[in-house]
């Protein structure tokens, strides 16, 4: 009898309780089999049952695990390979592996899909027995009615379906709500906390627009999805006051309502009264009935309709603090599908990154564990999480998709207590991680917390609602346990999708020496346009000692590179192109050097180069190439270098050896950023890199898989278009914010349409200032006309209560911004340049009209006409602009600057070009 045969016999004896002697350590791996027609009482040595029906494959992965535990002595040979044959292996709780289930370096234990077969670990329970009732198809689910099962997600033929919602999504899948498919709150309810006289924004109540919400019968079953800047809150209604138009929730949101904008975005789902679109569903838990409207052409009676049962599918449970690990396991070619993660009765609200949401596959204390060619999908939470004590693990060529939250997580939010508890040296390579944040929209494609020495390489990461990659989890300059992480050759794209903000293709936090971001491609990072914050590379709070080199970044919302604050980051030999707004953003002045910016190419079409603050000179720029294709004013003349000409900028010592010149891309407008041989960047030391190497590699069928997702071809961002404004607020509901403008409110400082006063018609816009606000310029309102040439004309009517302090100003969007006309109303006077030019009576409507030349006509002056009732107009010519170099109108603003409770009314606002 040969060695392999002997091992098979010994193993068969072992699983029925007979102890045996260890086999030859050099033997081939023992082969076990799991099949859907198997039996966990059998040996598992046969792929199919024998003719007598007395032996054959095992029935479950758990059965294979337990059989191997019984035969531990044999594992020291060539290990064990568990061949899981085609079929669906339904679980109601995760399969768990502990230290006793470990293999060794020479004898690993492998759980793999049998060659050419489709093995699925699956927690989706089939929904059957459909019948037609009116416009709905209905299925009775006794376990739901009995209270033994509930679910919050539902799939048909492997496609996630939309819970019944209002307003309806712009597309049947409900993928990317933006625009008309969201409600906008009137504003937060202001309330006093116990022991305080100060009013603050409520975290549990807001005012809704009349007509948006009702006291629906199913309201208590619903979830209100509230969109903050970089997170969402999923809140459960507690009560609704249909007279005061206030909705209250069972628990708070972490971020309060109206923090970023008064007109808080939200939609409501899992609402029976919202069930009106194909692809929507609703679960009535009291009745135990599932209601569904099929998509066109879909036969739900023949479809695979599935709802999830288990929260997780696989857990690796080591005890790293005790030095007990789960080691040398391999999972190959397996599919892990369908998990549930429900919102608690008190709601769900994370501070960032859907941090509290678990993963379908989780590991603690895993060492040298490999997931190779696996498929993790249709999840309620994250896909895979390597947690405390996970070291030297690999996730290879796996697809992680259709995720309730994010894709992969490595590490924890706090630093490890011991070396054994550190998560480090893990690899995620050649994976396709996509279509996440389907429930918890603040989730991340790949998240590395307080973890070091990890490598993310050659992954394709796309279609997340917040951020693609996040590295580090500490805010500020304290020493951290997240460093020496390598992020290379990843293709990260279609991030944020207009939903959330303060986002990046890659986002970093904290001091991270040794961390490198190289040879990646980041594009289509498009944050919500109503809020700022969509960047390609985003160095957030305290990001320090990070290298970003040989990256291609293009088509971002508000900047290709943004450093909030940090120290000595090195940004070298990158291509930055086509941000819709400013290209390079530096948000905080500090006493140390912010970053080195060397041998980069910056290419854009809107003449907005530097954003935020570049005053103190604590940055090091050299050998860069800058070029704008904007056709209104040349880059040299438009003074886009922080308010200076390029020559003046260089005279201050910035951008040594840099040039303003066309870098000569092959075809940047078609996203072909290869350089021609005579590019001026080459003479400055720029080293071309092959950005096509980013993303997946290997078998062509694998490499081309992301391309099967239909996408709109890239086109450069539209150049800013001139926008005329004419608003008397007659078409905006009373109590609402002004449409077409950005209202910035704080606390009791608010800006709302009112019918209490009007210059013409019946409505106007009322500014209410208040004491104790954090900033004097709250509240304020801004229109964005984007006027570049000709003579700009602006007019409005204003009525001030006694004690009002108010100003109206024109600005451009440079950094620092240039100021045009600037009018102050204080103590019953109109002030220009610090001097009183007219008396303005209180509680009286006054018309203001301004003429200011722009572009090549600009001469640093403007004209003003003030019309008081019963008097001839007052005209003032050649008034000096706030900045002599003002030449374009991007910011047309009204600011209440009082420190007491006082009101100002604005009406009949007009902006146009004469």
């Amino acid at each position: 009898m040969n060695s392999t045969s002997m091992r098979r016999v010994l193993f068969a004896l072992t699983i029925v309780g007979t102890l045996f002697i260890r086999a030859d350590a050099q033997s081939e791996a023992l082969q076990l089999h799991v099949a859907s027609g198997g039996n966990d009482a059998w040996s598992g040595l046969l792929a199919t049952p024998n003719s007598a029906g007395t032996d054959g494959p095992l029935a479950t992965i758990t059965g294979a695990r337990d059989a191997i535990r019984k035969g531990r002595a044999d594992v020291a040979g060539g290990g064990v390979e568990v061949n899981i044959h085609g079929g669906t292996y339904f679980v109601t709780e995760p399969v768990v592996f502990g230290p006793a289930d470990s293999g060794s370096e020479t004898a690993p234990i492998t759980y793999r899909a049998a060659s050419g077969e489709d093995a699925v670990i699956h927690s989706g329970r089939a929904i059957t027995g459909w019948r037609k009732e009116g416009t709905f198809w209905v299925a009775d689910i006794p376990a739901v009615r009995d209270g033994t099962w509930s679910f919050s997600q539902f799939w048909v033929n492997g496609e996630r379906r939309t819970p019944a919602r209002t307003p309806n999504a712009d597309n049947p899948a409900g993928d990317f709500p933006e625009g008309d498919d969201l409600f906008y709150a009137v504003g937060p309810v202001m309330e006093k906390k116990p022991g305080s006289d100060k009013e603050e924004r409520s975290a549990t109540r807001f005012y809704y627009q009349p007509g948006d919400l009702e006291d629906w019968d199913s309201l208590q079953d619903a979830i209100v999805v509230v969109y903050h800047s970089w997170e969402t809150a999923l809140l459960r209604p507690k009560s609704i006051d249909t007279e005061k138009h206030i909705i209250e929730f069972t628990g708070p949101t972490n971020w309060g309502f109206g923090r970023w904008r008064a007109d808080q975005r939200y939609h409501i789902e899992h609402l029976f009264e919202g069930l009106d679109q194909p692809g929507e569903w609703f679960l009535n838990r009291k009745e135990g009935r599932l209601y569904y409207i099929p998509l066109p052409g879909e036969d739900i009676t023949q479809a695979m309709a599935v709802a999830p049962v288990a929260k997780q599918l696989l857990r690796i449970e080591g005890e790293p603090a005790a030095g007990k690990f789960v080691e040398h396991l391999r999972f190959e070619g397996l599919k892990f599908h369908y998990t549930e993660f429900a919102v608690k009765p008190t709601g769900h609200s994370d501070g960032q990154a859907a941090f509290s949401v678990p993963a379908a596959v989780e590991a603690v204390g895993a060492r040298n564990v490999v997931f190779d060619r696996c498929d993790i999908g249709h999840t309620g939470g994250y896909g895979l999480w390597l947690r405390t004590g996970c070291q030297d693990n690999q996730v290879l060529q796996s697809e992680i998709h259709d995720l309730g939250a994010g894709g992969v997580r490595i590490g924890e939010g706090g630093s490890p207590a011991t070396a054994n508890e550190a998560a480090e040296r893990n690899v995620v390579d050649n994976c396709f991680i996509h279509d996440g944040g389907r429930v918890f929209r603040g989730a991340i494609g790949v998240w590395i917390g307080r973890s070091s020495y990890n490598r993310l390489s050659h992954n394709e990461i796309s279609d997340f609602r917040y951020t693609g990659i996040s590295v580090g989890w500490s805010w500020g300059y304290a020493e951290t346990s997240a460093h020496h992480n390598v992020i290379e050759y990843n293709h990260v794209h279609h991030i944020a999708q207009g939903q959330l903000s303060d986002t990046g293709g890659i986002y970093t936090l904290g001091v991270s020496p040794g961390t490198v971001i190289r040879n990646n491609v980041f594009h289509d990072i498009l944050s919500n346009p109503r809020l700022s914050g969509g960047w390609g590379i985003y160095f957030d709070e305290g990001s320090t000692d990070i290298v970003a080199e040989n990256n291609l970044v293009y088509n971002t919302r508000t900047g290709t590179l943004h450093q909030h604050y940090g120290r000595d980051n090195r940004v070298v030999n990158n291509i930055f192109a086509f941000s819709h707004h400013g290209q390079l953003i530096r948000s905080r002045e500090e006493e140390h050097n912010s970053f080195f910016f060397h041998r980069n190419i910056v290419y854009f079409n809107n003449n907005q180069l530097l954003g935020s603050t570049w005053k103190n000179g604590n940055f090091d720029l050299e050998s860069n190439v800058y070029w704008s294709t904007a056709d209104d004013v040349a880059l040299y003349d438009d003074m886009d270098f922080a308010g200076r000409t390029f020559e003046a900028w260089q005279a201050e010592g910035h951008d040594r050896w840099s040039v303003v010149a066309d870098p000569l891309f092959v075809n940047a407008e078609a996203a072909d950023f290869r350089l021609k041989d005579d590019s001026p960047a080459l003479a400055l030391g720029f080293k071309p890199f092959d950005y096509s190497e980013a993303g997946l590699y290997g078998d062509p069928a694998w490499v081309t898989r992301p391309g099967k997702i239909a996408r709109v071809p890239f086109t450069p961002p539209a150049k800013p278009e001139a926008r005329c404004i004419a608003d008397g607020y007659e078409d905006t509901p009373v109590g609402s914010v002004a449409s077409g403008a950005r209202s910035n409110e704080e606390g009791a400082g608010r800006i709302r349409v009112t019918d209490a006063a009007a210059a013409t018609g019946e409505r106007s816009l009322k500014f209410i200032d208040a004491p104790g606000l954090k900033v004097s310029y709250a509240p304020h309102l801004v229109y964005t006309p984007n006027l570049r040439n000709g003579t700009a004309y602006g007019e409005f009517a204003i009525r001030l209560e006694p004690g009002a302090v108010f100003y109206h100003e024109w600005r451009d969007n440079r950094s620092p911004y240039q100021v045009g006309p600037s009018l102050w109303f204080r103590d019953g006077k109109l002030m220009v340049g610090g001097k009183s030019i007219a008396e303005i009576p209180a509680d009286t409507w006054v018309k203001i009209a301004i003429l200011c030349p722009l572009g090549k006509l600009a001469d640093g002056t403007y004209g003003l006409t003030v019309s008081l009732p019963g008097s001839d107009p007052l005209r003032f010519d050649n008034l000096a602009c706030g900045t002599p170099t003002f030449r374009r109108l991007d910011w047309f603003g009204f600011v209440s600057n009082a420190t007491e409770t006082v009101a100002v009314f604005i009406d009949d606002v007009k902006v146009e070009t004469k």
Side-chain angles (χ1 to χ4, degrees), residues 761-774:
E762 297 180 352
R763 298 176 185 176
S764 66
L765 191 63
K766 183 179 183 181
F767 291 68
I768 305 174
D769 218 326
L773 302 183
K774 293 180 181 178

Side-chain angles (χ1 to χ4, degrees), residues 704-721:
T704 59
R705 188 168 178 79
K708 298 184 184 302
I709 298 175
R711 302 199 185 276
V712 177
F714 166 74
T715 56
K719 297 178 181 180
E721 295 183 0

Side-chain angles (χ1 to χ4, degrees), residues 205-219:
R205 297 187 296 162
F206 65 72
Y207 291 99
Y208 62 87
Q209 298 277 8
D212 285 352
L213 304 182
E214 300 176 22
D215 191 7
W216 292 296
D217 289 342
S218 70
L219 185 64

